[in-house]
């Protein structure tokens, strides 16, 4: 049995499909309102902030994948994320289950340095501090030897389906709606974006590679690391139209934050758009050389096809 905790978001759904394709049909889907992804899935609806439910959710599992997401609220993250993760850690230890922790990059510095698995944690803002705390919780368990675990870390998403990210919102949603595209702060800084199905494929591969445990892995990205200007040029070729865009300056976000709580929650993420944001995945590429990374043109073409089909 392999169990996905927080399974009905984009990463969890793609992970369920990938596990079924290549590793096992014995999959348990866990979320507050769990729904099958594959016909053969077992579903278990649970609030993982309740310790007993977490223990029950993981029971009988060889591997548990933590892909759970919460609404982008610092208050909610501080209250819920460490509590839920601690419950999951306890559940895995009690049940003898290996933990695959799907992580983001919020705990890293946002100053233009190239990010690799050894980059020191230096978060900006409350959400970054929560993610540092969570990563350190898993690392402590690994170091203690009491839990067999692995960290799979991904940069900002772009992708099909339910993918939620600044890039999807300001670029692909605007293309679909026929609006002028927006980019945060600067279109001239180099970026690393991960195609969400690649993130799930790589996570399933790591989870089913025993010698990958006990360490952190940066998940693979298209290594061209384009600027938003270059990224939108690729999109223009794919959509066969001259896509116009404008860069939204920081003061506009600050004004918007006065009236919109979601914009306010984004402010601490803005520094990463003031600098190059390069995500080094060379460790993964060296260990898994046969893994085929989706190139930006391929990913954007798939998003276009999905939009045209009305999905």
């Amino acid at each position: 049995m392999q169990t996905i905790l927080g399974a009905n978001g984009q990463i969890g759904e793609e992970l369920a499909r990938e596990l079924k394709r290549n590793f096992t049909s014995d999959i348990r889907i866990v979320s507050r309102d769990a729904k099958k992804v594959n016909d053969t899935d077992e579903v278990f609806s649970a609030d993982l902030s309740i310790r007993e439910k977490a223990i029950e959710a993981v029971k009988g599992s060889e591997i548990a994948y933590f892909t759970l997401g919460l609404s982008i609220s610092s208050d909610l993250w501080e209250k819920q994320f460490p509590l839920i993760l601690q419950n999951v850690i306890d559940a895995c230890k009690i049940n003898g289950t290996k933990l695959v922790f799907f992580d983001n990059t919020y705990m890293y510095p946002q100053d233009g340095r190239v990010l690799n698995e050894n980059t020191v944690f230096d978060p900006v803002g409350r959400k970054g501090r929560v993610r540092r705390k969570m990563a350190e919780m898993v690392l402590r368990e690994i170091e203690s030897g009491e839990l067999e675990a692995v960290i799979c870390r991904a940069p900002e998403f772009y992708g099909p389906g339910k993918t939620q990210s600044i890039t999807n919102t300001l670029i692909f949603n605007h293309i679909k709606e026929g609006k002028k595209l927006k980019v945060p702060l600067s279109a001239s800084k180099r970026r690393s974006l991960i195609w969400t199905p690649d993130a799930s494929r790589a996570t399933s591969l790591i989870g089913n590679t025993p010698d990958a445990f006990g360490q952190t892995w940066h998940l693979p990205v298209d290594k061209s690391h384009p600027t938003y200007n270059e990224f939108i040029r690729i999109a223009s070729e794919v959509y066969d139209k001259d896509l116009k865009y404008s860069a939204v300056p920081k003061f506009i976000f600050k004004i918007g934050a006065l009236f919109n709580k979601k914009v306010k929650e984004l402010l601490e993420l803005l520094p990463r758009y003031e600098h190059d944001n390069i995500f080094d995945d060379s460790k993964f590429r060296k260990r898994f050389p046969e893994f085929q990374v989706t190139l930006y043109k391929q990913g954007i073409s798939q998003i276009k096809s999905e939009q045209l089909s009305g999905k």
Side-chain angles (χ1 to χ4, degrees), residues 232-243 297 304:
I232 292 169
R233 188 171 68 240
I234 297 170
S236 293
E237 294 174 2
V238 170
Y239 282 85
D240 194 25
K241 61 175 69 173
D242 184 15
L243 297 169
K297 188 171 184 178
K304 177 188 175 184

Side-chain angles (χ1 to χ4, degrees), residues 98-100 138-139 141-145 147-152 206 209-217 283:
K98 295 193 287 188
L99 175 63
V100 179
V138 177
L139 290 171
E141 294 296 336
I142 290 173
E143 290 165 6
S144 74
L147 176 66
E148 195 169 358
V150 63
I151 296 175
C152 298
I206 289 171
T209 303
D211 66 10
F213 280 75
Q215 53 195 303
T216 298
W217 296 87
K283 175 181 174 180

Side-chain angles (χ1 to χ4, degrees), residues 23-61:
F23 297 104
T24 181
S25 296
D26 195 8
I27 300 167
R28 180 183 295 149
I29 301 293
V30 179
S31 66
R32 283 179 179 266
D33 184 21
K35 297 179 177 65
K36 286 187 177 184
V37 178
N38 308 297
D39 290 343
T40 54
D41 292 341
E42 173 187 328
V43 295
F44 184 81
S45 295
D47 178 353
L48 297 176
S49 67
I50 302 171
R51 187 173 185 272
E52 292 74 21
K53 289 292 186 181
I55 294 170
E56 191 177 352
V58 170
K59 187 176 181 180
S61 303

Side-chain angles (χ1 to χ4, degrees), residues 25-202:
S25 296
D26 195 8
I27 300 167
R28 180 183 295 149
I29 301 293
V30 179
S31 66
R32 283 179 179 266
D33 184 21
K35 297 179 177 65
K36 286 187 177 184
V37 178
N38 308 297
D39 290 343
T40 54
D41 292 341
E42 173 187 328
V43 295
F44 184 81
S45 295
D47 178 353
L48 297 176
S49 67
I50 302 171
R51 187 173 185 272
E52 292 74 21
K53 289 292 186 181
I55 294 170
E56 191 177 352
V58 170
K59 187 176 181 180
S61 303
E62 176 191 359
I63 303 169
Y65 299 84
F66 188 102
T67 64
L68 186 143
L70 294 174
S71 299
I72 190 163
S73 160
S74 294
D75 290 340
L76 182 64
W77 282 31
E78 289 170 348
K79 181 180 179 181
Q80 289 285 306
F81 254 148
L83 170 64
I84 293 171
L85 180 57
Q86 188 59 60
N87 288 344
V88 169
I89 287 171
D90 291 346
C92 287
K93 291 163 77 171
I94 288 168
N95 287 293
T97 301
K98 295 193 287 188
L99 175 63
V100 179
F101 179 63
F102 187 87
D103 203 6
N104 65 24
T105 60
Y106 287 13
M107 76 296 296
Y108 283 148
Q110 299 182 25
D111 58 6
R113 76 186 74 179
V114 175
L115 305 173
N116 60 41
E117 289 87 350
N118 296 316
T119 299
V120 296
F121 295 167
D122 187 16
V124 174
R126 294 167 65 189
K127 287 179 282 295
R129 288 191 286 272
V130 170
R131 297 305 304 198
R132 175 178 64 185
K133 181 176 182 178
M134 295 171 72
E136 289 175 343
M137 288 168 67
V138 177
L139 290 171
R140 279 197 300 271
E141 294 296 336
I142 290 173
E143 290 165 6
S144 74
E146 295 183 11
L147 176 66
E148 195 169 358
V150 63
I151 296 175
C152 298
R153 185 165 291 140
E156 184 186 338
F157 299 155
Y158 84 107
K162 298 179 180 179
T163 300
Q164 295 185 35
S165 69
I166 290 176
T167 297
N168 263 54
T169 299
L170 297 182
I171 294 181
F172 296 110
N173 290 0
H174 280 213
I175 292 174
K176 185 176 182 179
E177 296 163 6
K179 297 179 180 178
K180 187 176 183 178
L181 280 53
K182 306 289 186 183
V183 300
L185 307 192
S186 173
S188 62
K189 304 300 181 182
R190 299 177 69 203
R191 313 217 55 73
S192 301
L193 302 172
I194 193 166
W195 177 246
T196 47
D198 282 1
S200 297
R201 284 198 300 128

Side-chain angles (χ1 to χ4, degrees), residues 212-310:
F213 280 75
Q215 53 195 303
T216 298
W217 296 87
H218 276 191
L219 301 180
V221 298
D222 181 331
K223 59 184 178 182
S224 63
H225 309 294
T227 64
Y228 268 129
N229 181 43
E230 293 165 342
F231 185 81
I232 292 169
R233 188 171 68 240
I234 297 170
S236 293
E237 294 174 2
V238 170
Y239 282 85
D240 194 25
K241 61 175 69 173
D242 184 15
L243 297 169
K244 303 295 185 182
Y245 71 89
S246 61
V248 182
K250 185 184 289 186
F251 80 88
I252 295 294
F253 282 100
K254 288 184 176 180
I255 293 171
L258 298 174
F259 307 98
N260 187 307
K261 189 173 182 180
K262 288 185 177 179
V263 176
K264 183 178 180 180
E265 293 287 352
L266 291 175
L267 289 181
E268 69 182 68
L269 306 180
L270 291 181
R272 71 182 59 206
Y273 298 96
E274 294 179 296
H275 309 279
D276 288 345
N277 189 250
I278 305 300
F279 189 76
D280 180 358
D281 64 0
S282 55
K283 175 181 174 180
F284 180 94
R285 287 176 179 271
K286 183 176 180 181
R287 176 61 181 81
F288 302 103
E290 295 181 359
F291 188 96
Q292 294 296 310
V293 175
T294 300
L295 303 180
Y296 286 118
K297 188 171 184 178
Q298 295 171 321
I300 294 169
S301 296
Q302 187 170 326
I303 293 172
K304 177 188 175 184
S305 296
E306 186 179 81
Q307 290 178 344
L308 291 175
S309 70

